[in-house]
Amino acid sequence: MRASEQVGQLETRGIEPVPENECNGHPLQLFWVWFAANISILGLPLGATLIAFQGLSIGQALIVAILGAGGSFAIVGLLSIAGRRGRAPSLTLSRAIFGMRGNIGPTLVSLGSRLGWETVNTTTAAFVLLSLVSIIQGTPMEAKSAPFLTLVFIGLFVLLTLCVSGLGHATLLVIQKWATWVFGALNLVVGGFLALHIDWTLVWAATPAPMSAVLIGIGTMAAGTGIGWANAGADMSRYQHKSVRAAGLVASAAFGAGIPLVLLITLGGLISVGNDHLASATDPIVAIRELLPTWMAVPYLITAFGGLLLSNNLSVYSAGLTTLTLGLKVKRVYAVVVDIVVIFIGSIYFMLIAESFYGPFITFISMLAVPITAWVGIFLVDLRHRQRYEAADLMNVSPSSAYWYAGGVEWRALGAWAVAIVLGFSFTTVKIGAGNVLFHGWLADSWFGQNGLGWIVTFVVAGGLYALLGGCRDRRAAVTHEAAHGR
């Protein structure tokens, strides 16, 4: 049965591999999924930071956007190959690499990443609705001064997310595709008005920043875009037909996400030349709205809300699958509900308790990028050598599984992951705001640390150490298990 025949129906499949006769997907479907998930207005402040904080010229910012955003999503496309081969979600396939128990660490990190992004989306969307109300009333409105209304708006956004993510894969494909055209067109209109604030004299007069700033920018963009989505690659590609080529999967992610992100990041950089208001804004939604004519505020806010919802749809769907991989014994839709409750509570904290919004956002993506990058390095090295996954063993969490290894842990993979994380944080400085240092690694002042290349060290060490230990080539456990079961 094709996915399109199930639109509007509840997807009952959880993390178990998809039967081959139901794998009829094609890369163009994924193109629209990734495009829709990345037309969020949050791309503008990311671009603003490149100009205001890194001092890049607009040409450098464009290169950083292409390499950081488009390049990191090409990696997401590579990880999608595993979904086509194993027909299961990313973190479920990760069991074959880390072992049933060893995979708990990467799965928790992945879930934390998903929930964090969803909280940011929900918080921002609620700010958008508050801004709409303030326009209607003609008076400013802040979250803490209207707590009941804030709770209603948070609840509305998560309910809309649940309607799509809860129904599942087939509905998600259709909604993301057609919503892309609607909100993509609105983004172009809003972007045209924002472009009127570009000071082209300052743009062409800007001097290029040192190469170190470019490297830092690439790392920041990769962490804030593709790396955050890396663990969701196979979640959508598990329905792809077996004949789909790897190049198609890579292109669907790189161009699907890269096109909107490069445009938004570049525009954010352009409007920030000579003005760091957007980059330093506590509420980027309000900062962008202030650049538009009054009559354009409502279309802009609708555009912002739609982009955030499309991103959240995919993220919550992926988070539900990741939650099931941890061992929660419920139906997929109930796992989605659990995640919705968590982000509802998190959004209340950001809006009604916390003093800052954008600062914690940057801190969050900086910290979780390290363990996720380490996981990506190991996963890609393993993918190069692994042509198939045993469906029954992926779902067998007992010692009889081929992926049980030693006590449920593949120590070479888990050890390489742990070493890479420690080393990655050694090169990392985590800040809250402009000057508050939360963490300063002992190698942060080295050349790699100062140039923002700790993520590359993390990636190379994780994958390299795993390969050096022979984990990516050892199939003795699977072969022994297959022989014992007469496969």
Side-chain angles (χ1 to χ4, degrees), residues 59-316:
Q60 290 176 319
L62 177 61
I63 292 173
V64 165
I66 294 172
L67 295 180
S72 62
F73 267 98
I75 294 177
V76 175
L78 286 173
L79 294 168
S80 298
I81 297 171
R84 187 205 61 193
R85 289 179 184 173
R87 308 192 306 275
S90 300
L91 270 299
T92 304
L93 297 173
S94 183
R95 287 173 167 178
I97 305 172
F98 289 87
M100 293 298 171
R101 291 175 174 171
N103 193 50
I104 293 175
T107 305
L108 283 172
V109 169
S110 176
L111 184 59
S113 174
R114 292 268 59 83
L115 293 176
W117 279 108
E118 291 152 19
T119 301
V120 169
N121 288 339
T122 305
T123 302
T124 309
F127 276 129
V128 167
L129 295 179
L130 285 172
S131 294
L132 276 172
V133 171
S134 70
I135 291 174
I136 295 172
Q137 292 185 346
T139 57
M141 178 171 292
E142 297 182 356
K144 293 179 181 179
S145 63
F148 177 76
L149 198 57
T150 299
L151 290 174
V152 171
F153 288 157
I154 293 174
L156 175 62
F157 186 77
V158 297
L159 180 62
L160 291 173
T161 300
L162 179 61
C163 289
V164 176
S165 302
L167 285 174
H169 180 267
T171 302
L172 186 66
L173 289 180
V174 173
I175 294 296
Q176 299 294 93
K177 176 183 178 179
W178 294 110
T180 294
W181 289 101
V182 174
F183 291 104
L186 286 173
N187 265 286
L188 288 176
V189 173
V190 172
F193 280 92
L194 288 174
L196 298 176
H197 291 269
I198 299 173
D199 189 330
W200 291 105
T201 302
L202 291 178
V203 169
W204 302 126
T207 57
M211 181 57 64
S212 59
V214 175
L215 295 175
I216 293 173
I218 292 174
T220 301
M221 290 302 104
T225 56
I227 295 300
W229 283 107
N231 41 35
D235 297 357
M236 297 306 299
S237 65
R238 62 191 178 128
Y239 281 91
Q240 293 287 292
H241 194 271
K242 63 180 180 180
S243 64
V244 170
R245 297 170 62 89
L249 294 175
V250 174
S252 65
F255 288 100
I259 291 173
L261 281 173
V262 169
L263 291 175
L264 287 167
I265 290 171
T266 303
L267 178 59
L270 283 169
I271 61 180
S272 296
V273 175
N275 183 358
D276 66 353
H277 179 59
L278 176 57
S280 57
T282 301
D283 184 350
I285 296 299
V286 172
I288 297 170
R289 198 192 80 184
E290 291 173 349
L291 298 175
L292 295 168
T294 303
W295 65 269
M296 190 65 196
V298 172
Y300 156 68
L301 292 172
I302 293 173
T303 302
F305 185 86
L308 292 164
L309 184 60
L310 294 177
S311 177
N312 229 43
N313 287 340
L314 180 58
S315 186
V316 170

Side-chain angles (χ1 to χ4, degrees), residues 33 97 103 295 370 396 428:
V33 166
I97 305 172
N103 193 50
W295 65 269
V370 174
N396 182 3
T428 303

Side-chain angles (χ1 to χ4, degrees), residues 447-474:
W447 185 85
F448 282 98
Q450 290 181 340
N451 289 284
L453 297 178
W455 64 279
I456 293 182
V457 175
T458 304
F459 179 85
V460 172
V461 169
L465 184 57
Y466 178 61
L468 185 65
L469 293 173
C472 62
R473 298 186 299 275
D474 191 348

Side-chain angles (χ1 to χ4, degrees), residues 376-427:
V376 169
I378 294 170
F379 198 100
L380 285 178
V381 169
D382 185 87
L383 181 63
R384 186 176 183 275
H385 296 269
R386 189 186 301 273
Q387 296 301 314
R388 61 173 295 168
Y389 299 83
E390 296 300 325
D393 292 310
L394 285 173
M395 301 306 296
N396 182 3
V397 296
S398 74
S400 63
S401 172
Y403 305 132
W404 185 258
Y405 301 111
V409 178
E410 218 304 359
W411 289 104
R412 289 168 296 188
L414 189 61
W417 186 63
V419 169
I421 290 173
V422 172
L423 191 58
F425 276 119
S426 297
F427 288 99

